Amino acid sequence: MEEQRPELGRDLAHALRTGPFSAALHLAIEDRGVRLDEIQRQLSAAGIHLSLTTLSYWRRGRSRPERPESLKAVRLLEGILSLPEDSLIVQLGPRRPRGRWLTRPPGTIDVDRLFTDGVSVARAISGLDRWMYHELTRLSLHDLYTVGPDRAETALACRQVLRANVDRVARTVGLFASDDPAAITSINAIRNCRIGRTRHDTGAGLIAAEIVFDRMLSRGETVVIEYEYRSESRVPTENYYRAFTTPVNEYVLQVQFHHDSVPSRCHRFQRRALNAPDQGVWEAWIGSTHGAHLVASDVAPGIAGLKWEWE
């Protein structure tokens, strides 16, 4: 009779779907109640000899399995921790290049596929501090996009809840691309953070900025940050969307229209990439206070937003 595998806890099941590898491994060890020295002994019995330091580094995200013997160990870990076959190994993807500033694990989308053609977000970010996809998990993200009386965007207020997947995480990167390539855009910290270096893509309406937390995070710790972009755009806006390079647990978008500039209709939409076809399109009602919103859970990489039509 086949031995029944124990059920996965909710957090573990989510980590096995979205990664990163370090978070999935850590939660699997916690969920199964197995000590690292016990894991080491079982690996050794199967002919794979790893130090406790190596196992600890994998768990904390300070390194990851790459050598053939290490990948064999990951396969064994799936059995030792009673996990579904391939559930850990798929988190690793192809061997990562050495010396790159950006690491893109499986289940993510290249950031340049999510912004307007001709705008190189990757180039803008490369002028900032190292940005690693796997270091943080977005638990929640709330955007408030404001449209002024001339139908142009005026501001975007952002609130993010982030969890560190590795030790010593101190910052993230914020990106905003205006509908108006000539717009002057700025970013200001509101709560629990400060703004570090910023980069502008002149003529593209893009700003990239370091958002520095009010404290250094250890693995598993969370932070709630709030910041705001201000835009001096003169071009009427017809949509706002958020680009997701990695999965997000919850996304809330509110669009607030000026009472003198209310669209005739509004719809929510999603796309796998900027130039991909719309998916999940349905009407979003504009309320008596001239606002519309969407709420989405377990958002896949891609874009999600609202678009509207002016009379």
Side-chain angles (χ1 to χ4, degrees):
M1 179 181 295
E2 184 180 359
E3 184 179 354
Q4 186 174 3
R5 182 184 296 122
E7 292 185 2
L8 303 176
R10 180 179 178 181
D11 290 343
L12 173 56
H14 183 269
L16 291 175
R17 291 195 307 271
T18 63
F21 172 81
S22 58
L25 178 60
H26 168 70
L27 289 170
I29 292 171
E30 292 291 309
D31 191 79
R32 301 318 193 204
V34 183
R35 300 194 310 271
L36 285 185
D37 58 344
E38 294 175 347
I39 293 174
Q40 183 191 41
R41 282 196 297 271
Q42 292 190 55
L43 290 173
S44 294
I48 301 295
H49 302 285
L50 296 177
S51 68
L52 288 176
T53 299
T54 295
L55 289 171
S56 178
Y57 277 12
W58 290 358
R59 183 181 184 180
R60 296 164 60 190
R62 294 189 60 180
S63 66
R64 73 173 201 168
E66 291 187 342
R67 295 182 297 108
E69 182 170 303
S70 297
L71 297 179
K72 290 180 182 177
V74 174
R75 295 284 190 187
L76 291 171
L77 282 171
E78 292 172 349
I80 293 170
L81 298 171
S82 300
L83 301 176
E85 186 176 357
D86 295 334
S87 58
L88 284 180
I89 202 73
V90 297
Q91 305 293 339
L92 297 172
R95 182 182 177 91
R96 64 183 176 186
R98 298 292 183 183
R100 290 185 62 187
W101 63 274
L102 188 64
T103 298
R104 186 166 62 88
T108 67
I109 290 181
D110 190 289
V111 68
D112 277 335
R113 292 182 59 197
L114 302 174
F115 283 81
T116 304
D117 293 339
V119 177
S120 178
V121 177
R123 185 172 62 248
I125 299 173
S126 66
L128 305 176
D129 194 31
R130 182 176 58 104
W131 184 34
M132 304 295 283
Y133 283 88
H134 73 279
E135 290 183 344
L136 290 162
T137 295
R138 280 176 173 168
L139 300 178
S140 176
L141 197 156
H142 188 163
D143 285 337
L144 173 59
Y145 185 72
T146 306
V147 179
D150 56 357
R151 300 183 177 181
E153 64 192 18
T154 60
L156 172 66
C158 307
R159 179 180 183 270
Q160 294 196 53
V161 182
L162 303 164
R163 182 179 63 212
N165 298 320
V166 297
D167 289 331
R168 301 184 61 78
V169 183
R171 67 194 66 204
T172 186
V173 172
L175 300 167
F176 179 74
S178 173
D179 289 335
D180 181 359
I184 299 174
T185 306
S186 61
I187 181 173
N188 303 295
I190 297 177
R191 191 167 289 109
N192 304 329
C193 61
R194 64 179 176 83
I195 305 303
R197 292 174 292 180
T198 61
R199 295 291 184 269
H200 293 265
D201 190 333
T202 305
L206 174 73
I207 181 174
E210 293 174 347
I211 303 172
V212 184
F213 308 148
D214 60 357
R215 61 190 177 90
M216 184 82 71
L217 300 181
S218 298
R219 179 180 51 80
E221 291 186 332
T222 57
V223 65
V224 181
I225 57 173
E226 297 181 38
Y227 53 96
E228 181 182 50
Y229 299 94
R230 305 293 299 186
S231 175
E232 299 180 12
S233 173
R234 298 183 178 180
V235 174
T237 178
E238 296 180 346
N239 66 76
Y240 173 77
Y241 67 85
R242 167 69 70 164
F244 299 99
T245 56
T246 58
V248 178
N249 289 8
E250 178 190 67
Y251 178 53
V252 178
L253 167 61
Q254 294 176 274
V255 177
Q256 185 63 53
F257 300 100
H258 191 275
H259 59 78
D260 288 335
S261 297
V262 181
S264 58
R265 59 188 60 85
C266 182
H267 292 84
R268 61 176 292 172
F269 70 98
Q270 291 178 269
R271 295 178 194 160
R272 178 61 177 169
L274 181 61
N275 296 319
D278 286 349
Q279 298 176 337
V281 178
W282 66 81
E283 188 166 5
W285 293 101
I286 300 174
S288 59
T289 55
H290 318 304
H293 77 277
L294 72 82
V295 179
S297 301
D298 294 325
V299 182
I303 67 176
L306 292 171
K307 56 184 179 179
W308 46 89
E309 299 176 21
W310 302 106
E311 286 286 359

